[in-house]
Amino acid sequence: MSIEIFIKNFAFAIEVQPETLNAETEYKALDIWDSLNTLSVIAMADADFNVALSGQDVESSRTISNLWTIVEAKIVHA
Amino acid sequence: MKALSGIEIRAVAATVPTQVARTQDYEFLTMEERQRFQKVTGIAARRIVRDGQCASDLCMTAAETALAHVGWARESVGALIMITQTGDQPVPATSIVIQNKLGLPQTCVAFDVNLGCSSYPYGLAIVGSMMQSLGIMRALLLIGDVSSRVCAKNDKSAWPLFGDAGTATALELDERASPMYFDLMSDGAGKDAIIIPGGGLASRRPPNDGPVQQEMGADGTYRRPDNLILRGADIFSFAISKVPHSIKRAMDASGKTGDAVDYLVLHQANKMINDTIAKKLGFPLDKVPTSIEQYGNTSSASIPLTLCTNSDFFRDTRSIATSGFGVGLSWGSAVFNLPANSVTTCVESDATY
């Protein structure tokens, strides 16, 4: 699994074009970001990476890269 | 867990108030947010009690429906257990007051249980095992909440989710009944995911003298201390990771595969949660009836309300897998048979007793 796939799936989850995001995107600053997107990202991590993210994981991370670090750690320890 | 034998469900009844609150009319969200909220949660409308109607009232009407359906003499009811988190008053237990109002005999066991979204599997296990061990022939399990009365109307994370409803399930000892299979779980580490912090005696939010004031929470929302706080993302994460395993354990205990289960009836939390759970277990959505579109998240009442909302599905005997999950954290699953014609149609009522 790579961060590129994570970014693509992240974009799909929040319904934006993948090319509008990158590892350093501060997702909570996106115009379209709202609390329902948190649910979409948690669902994506569960479905695509078999990782249980908490609301806190999504809400306290800043960039997509920060969140990927958490997901990647949980994959390793799964 | 051991199977519970000899308990038959004779009737399931549900009541909702008549007042409709539509997502499209919720003034604290923009029009765009309302549409998005409805799409993700599946909630188009909810029923909200008018001033004065309580969970006990909704459950009383449901109990009358159930008693009329089964035709029991009231003297024959040996237990009445109410599960709610919005009872009539802190003391005494609401179920005991209902015992009198329903005209049930003094020989009737009555007590309340404090559970929310996991109430139905827990309730069947509590009442069924007590009936079996104490030899109580007939019992009523009342489950309902008026969440609208504990949520702040301006709280966008809670108010537009919850609807009010009350239900009644009539249970009878019957040696011929198919066994019920349970999986019942708890995790108090998640207590803050759904909480009413004020009004209790644990001193986290002791009552103050003088009028109750709204205060701004960490999420920027103003609430009273006795309003409900919901951390939706944490509930979402918990539900999609824990609940499928729980349902699977109950199904494994029953020896049934998904093909042998007619319907998966889930607590109506939100559409995205339930679609995810169904997908993980391999249930097609036409085997997963809902009530969330018209009634929202009805907390403890959601599973029996969903049965009654879809009563046409239950004209014949059906094998059911069900799971409730939420506040506590508490979650549980049950696999059992619903006898033919035991599920009554949902009744609308603003009656108070």
Side-chain angles (χ1 to χ4, degrees):
Chain A
M1 287 294 182
S2 69
I3 191 167
E4 286 75 24
I5 294 171
F6 185 69
I7 292 169
K8 186 167 152 251
N9 294 4
F10 191 106
F12 185 73
I14 66 169
E15 299 179 3
V16 300
Q17 294 300 318
E19 53 272 20
T20 64
L21 303 180
N22 61 57
E24 296 312 310
T25 300
E26 297 184 15
Y27 51 88
K28 285 174 292 177
L30 295 170
D31 286 345
I32 55 95
W33 186 264
D34 63 20
S35 62
L36 295 172
N37 280 317
T38 303
L39 308 190
S40 301
V41 169
I42 291 169
M44 177 273 291
D46 177 77
D48 300 341
F49 298 89
N50 198 27
V51 161
L53 284 179
S54 67
Q56 183 74 7
D57 289 334
V58 180
E59 283 152 17
S60 65
S61 297
R62 192 170 56 87
T63 64
I64 294 178
S65 174
N66 295 152
L67 191 59
W68 168 245
T69 305
I70 295 173
V71 172
E72 204 174 20
K74 293 193 180 191
I75 294 172
V76 170
H77 293 111
Chain B
M1 275 180 189
K2 283 169 66 177
L4 178 61
S5 299
I7 302 294
E8 193 78 289
I9 294 175
R10 297 290 189 215
V12 183
T15 307
V16 293
T18 61
Q19 183 175 211
V20 179
R22 289 182 179 79
T23 298
Q24 293 306 319
D25 299 333
Y26 182 53
E27 64 267 37
F28 292 95
L29 293 175
T30 66
M31 287 306 289
E32 198 173 88
E33 287 171 335
R34 293 175 209 178
Q35 284 181 9
R36 184 161 152 68
F37 176 88
Q38 185 167 327
K39 183 182 162 201
V40 172
T41 64
I43 300 168
R46 300 160 293 122
R47 298 299 178 93
I48 301 296
V49 290
R50 291 190 165 84
D51 288 345
Q53 195 179 24
C54 296
S56 60
D57 296 313
L58 294 165
C59 287
M60 286 268 298
T61 302
E64 293 288 2
T65 306
L67 286 170
H69 187 74
V70 293
W72 290 350
R74 296 188 186 231
E75 298 73 43
S76 70
V77 178
L80 182 152
I81 284 77
M82 170 123 183
I83 311 187
T84 186
Q85 296 188 315
T86 50
D88 288 3
Q89 61 277 312
V91 172
T94 302
S95 54
I96 303 171
V97 179
I98 294 177
Q99 171 268 334
N100 178 54
K101 287 182 174 177
L102 275 177
L104 302 182
Q106 292 185 4
T107 49
C108 179
V109 173
F111 60 89
D112 287 3
V113 174
N114 179 343
L115 285 171
C117 314
S118 60
S119 291
Y120 207 57
Y122 265 87
L124 292 175
I126 292 165
V127 178
S129 48
M130 197 173 68
M131 292 170 74
Q132 188 61 267
S133 56
L134 298 181
I136 296 169
M137 279 301 297
R138 291 173 168 173
L140 287 174
L141 169 61
L142 306 187
I143 302 180
D145 274 302
V146 284
S147 303
S148 69
R149 295 186 66 172
V150 295
C151 291
K153 191 167 186 188
N154 58 297
D155 186 348
K156 295 183 280 189
S157 63
W159 177 266
L161 286 169
F162 289 108
D164 302 329
T167 71
T169 300
L171 299 153
E172 189 166 36
L173 280 183
D174 185 339
E175 287 178 359
R176 295 162 300 176
S178 305
M180 296 179 172
Y181 300 89
F182 295 99
D183 180 74
L184 303 172
M185 306 285 287
S186 318
D187 181 10
K191 69 183 188 307
D192 292 323
I194 304 178
I195 190 166
I196 297 176
L201 302 178
S203 81
R204 288 211 294 164
R205 285 310 314 262
N208 294 321
D209 291 337
V212 178
Q213 302 285 336
Q214 284 203 332
E215 301 164 9
M216 191 170 77
D219 60 354
T221 299
Y222 281 90
R223 301 179 187 85
R224 294 158 45 122
D226 56 354
N227 283 147
L228 182 141
I229 302 171
L230 171 75
R231 291 190 349 203
D234 288 340
I235 289 293
F236 184 88
S237 178
F238 145 71
I240 63 173
S241 60
K242 301 287 189 187
V243 174
H245 295 297
S246 172
I247 297 169
K248 183 76 170 37
R249 284 192 295 271
M251 285 173 56
D252 287 349
S254 74
K256 285 183 177 164
T257 62
D259 290 342
V261 171
D262 295 314
Y263 291 103
L264 173 64
V265 185
L266 298 171
H267 166 56
Q268 303 288 293
N270 85 39
K271 184 178 185 307
M272 200 194 293
I273 289 178
N274 287 10
D275 288 355
T276 303
I277 292 169
K279 190 177 169 192
K280 281 187 157 187
L281 292 166
F283 275 89
L285 292 182
D286 61 357
K287 285 177 72 169
V288 189
T290 64
S291 63
I292 197 166
E293 299 85 357
Q294 65 268 53
Y295 299 128
N297 176 343
T298 47
S299 184
S300 59
S302 68
I303 291 170
L305 176 63
T306 301
L307 295 174
C308 294
T309 306
N310 299 280
S311 56
D312 286 353
F313 295 0
F314 305 103
R315 291 203 178 124
D316 299 325
T317 299
R318 299 294 189 196
S319 172
I320 305 290
T322 188
S323 190
F325 44 87
V327 60
L329 301 170
S330 170
W331 65 108
S333 303
V335 174
F336 56 90
N337 278 352
L338 265 179
N341 292 315
S342 55
V343 178
T344 64
T345 307
C346 182
V347 170
E348 295 184 4
S349 171
D350 295 325
T352 56
Y353 296 87

